Amino acid sequence: MHLYGKYKGKLLVATAQDRNDECSPIAFAIVEGETLEAWDYFLVNIRAHVTEMSNICLISDNHRSIISAVENNRNWLPPNAYHVFCIRHIASNFNQKFRNEDLKRTLKNLGYTPAMVDFERGLARFRETSPQIAEWIDAIPKEKWSRAYVVERRRYMHMTTNLAESVNTVLKGARNIPITALIKHTYSRLVHYFVTRGTSVDISIRIPNQVFEHHTKSIQILTGKKVYNGYK
């Protein structure tokens, strides 16, 4: 998210989804720009301080700095994590280059096509449009943007970065305020979501004791309140 106040820069936010299908921001950082160093710093610290889980699906746009940061960190490579692209961003990038709304919609539909046979048939027609378009789409690995070439559980039914866009909308009004105030505002939002979503999670889901203890301690640290069985 672009910052527009006195101090320019970018607000990076990582967003996840819980078992109640609620999205919550799990980490944020203010950096000078979307550089390799910034994304590398962000992704390394998410692994160091937020989660060590394997089989994570990381969905982003196909920004070169993000791709390089992922490739430089084995903790974000298979089998620890699977990096894929947002189909909406892929389609938007295509339209910016070729200025064709109809083909943009076709490309998005291709991304969502689950059957490999149907996908390959549609992709062949798409590539026949022009040699330039065929070269452009061939440069993006199919497993990065198509549902047909990704094992379903690896994307967890998500094809876009809409979760992150939702959080960006919530924080949109904070883009013009000073850095210190922005950090306080963003932090308070994260605490609010963490506590409310954490206490309302489906109690029928069994959570390992170690994970449960970690999260309850975190809630207690953030709120200063005693936690019993996951509730304040």
Side-chain angles (χ1 to χ4, degrees), residues 171 174 202 209:
L171 297 172
D202 186 350
N209 289 336

Side-chain angles (χ1 to χ4, degrees), residues 187 190-192 194-195 215-225:
Y187 178 75
L190 264 63
V191 171
H192 170 74
F194 182 80
V195 175
H215 283 289
T216 52
K217 287 179 181 178
S218 298
I219 293 173
Q220 188 171 349
I221 292 171
L222 292 173
T223 64
K225 297 180 179 180

Side-chain angles (χ1 to χ4, degrees), residues 24-44:
S24 296
I26 58 173
F28 72 95
I30 296 174
V31 297
E32 292 184 358
E34 288 192 82
T35 64
L36 171 59
E37 292 77 12
W39 280 115
D40 187 64
Y41 164 83
F42 192 52
L43 293 176
V44 165

Side-chain angles (χ1 to χ4, degrees), residues 38 44 48 72 102 117 133 136 146 149 168 185 198 204 217:
V44 165
N72 290 343
D102 291 335
V117 174
I133 288 178
W136 187 88
S146 67
Y149 276 85
N168 285 349
H185 177 79
S204 65
K217 287 179 181 178

Side-chain angles (χ1 to χ4, degrees), residues 137-173:
I137 195 63
D138 289 346
I140 309 174
K142 297 175 184 177
E143 63 272 16
K144 293 289 188 178
W145 64 276
S146 67
R147 186 177 176 186
Y149 276 85
V150 176
V151 178
E152 194 62 43
R153 67 183 181 87
R154 295 279 162 78
R155 287 197 80 126
Y156 303 100
M157 301 301 290
H158 286 285
M159 293 296 297
T160 68
T161 56
N162 285 351
L163 294 180
E165 298 297 340
S166 298
V167 173
N168 285 349
T169 301
V170 172
L171 297 172
K172 188 176 182 179

Side-chain angles (χ1 to χ4, degrees), residues 12 27 31 34-36 52 64 76 79 87 96 102 106 110-111 113 116 133 160 170 173 183 219 232:
L12 308 182
V31 297
E34 288 192 82
T35 64
L36 171 59
E52 297 178 349
R64 185 64 243 174
W76 288 105
I87 185 58
Q96 286 177 7
D102 291 335
T106 299
L110 271 176
T113 301
M116 193 174 296
I133 288 178
T160 68
V170 172
I183 292 175
I219 293 173
K232 291 187 290 184

Side-chain angles (χ1 to χ4, degrees), residues 52-211:
E52 297 178 349
M53 290 178 62
S54 59
N55 287 321
I56 289 178
C57 178
L58 173 63
I59 306 178
S60 73
D61 59 31
N62 58 336
H63 195 286
R64 185 64 243 174
S65 295
I66 301 177
I67 296 173
S68 297
V70 170
E71 292 174 349
N72 290 343
N73 192 329
R74 63 180 180 83
N75 287 323
W76 288 105
L77 296 175
N80 299 311
Y82 300 87
H83 182 212
V84 294
F85 300 144
C86 169
I87 185 58
R88 185 171 57 83
H89 280 91
I90 294 293
S92 294
N93 291 342
F94 171 84
N95 195 48
Q96 286 177 7
K97 183 174 180 62
F98 297 102
R99 301 294 179 184
N100 191 314
E101 288 287 345
D102 291 335
L103 286 179
K104 174 186 175 181
R105 286 190 290 271
T106 299
L107 181 58
K108 286 180 67 176
N109 291 334
L110 271 176
Y112 280 98
T113 301
M116 193 174 296
V117 174
D118 295 336
F119 171 82
E120 288 293 347
R121 186 183 299 118
L123 181 62
R125 290 195 297 267
F126 184 82
R127 295 180 72 261
E128 289 172 357
T129 307
S130 76
Q132 293 78 17
I133 288 178
E135 182 181 3
W136 187 88
I137 195 63
D138 289 346
I140 309 174
K142 297 175 184 177
E143 63 272 16
K144 293 289 188 178
W145 64 276
S146 67
R147 186 177 176 186
Y149 276 85
V150 176
V151 178
E152 194 62 43
R153 67 183 181 87
R154 295 279 162 78
R155 287 197 80 126
Y156 303 100
M157 301 301 290
H158 286 285
M159 293 296 297
T160 68
T161 56
N162 285 351
L163 294 180
E165 298 297 340
S166 298
V167 173
N168 285 349
T169 301
V170 172
L171 297 172
K172 188 176 182 179
R175 291 190 292 180
N176 296 315
I177 60 179
I179 296 296
T180 303
L182 174 62
I183 292 175
K184 289 181 179 179
H185 177 79
T186 307
Y187 178 75
S188 65
R189 285 280 186 171
L190 264 63
V191 171
H192 170 74
Y193 283 129
F194 182 80
V195 175
T196 56
R197 302 280 166 80
T199 55
S200 64
V201 71
D202 186 350
I203 59 175
S204 65
I205 300 171
R206 297 193 177 188
I207 305 175
N209 289 336
Q210 185 179 2
V211 176

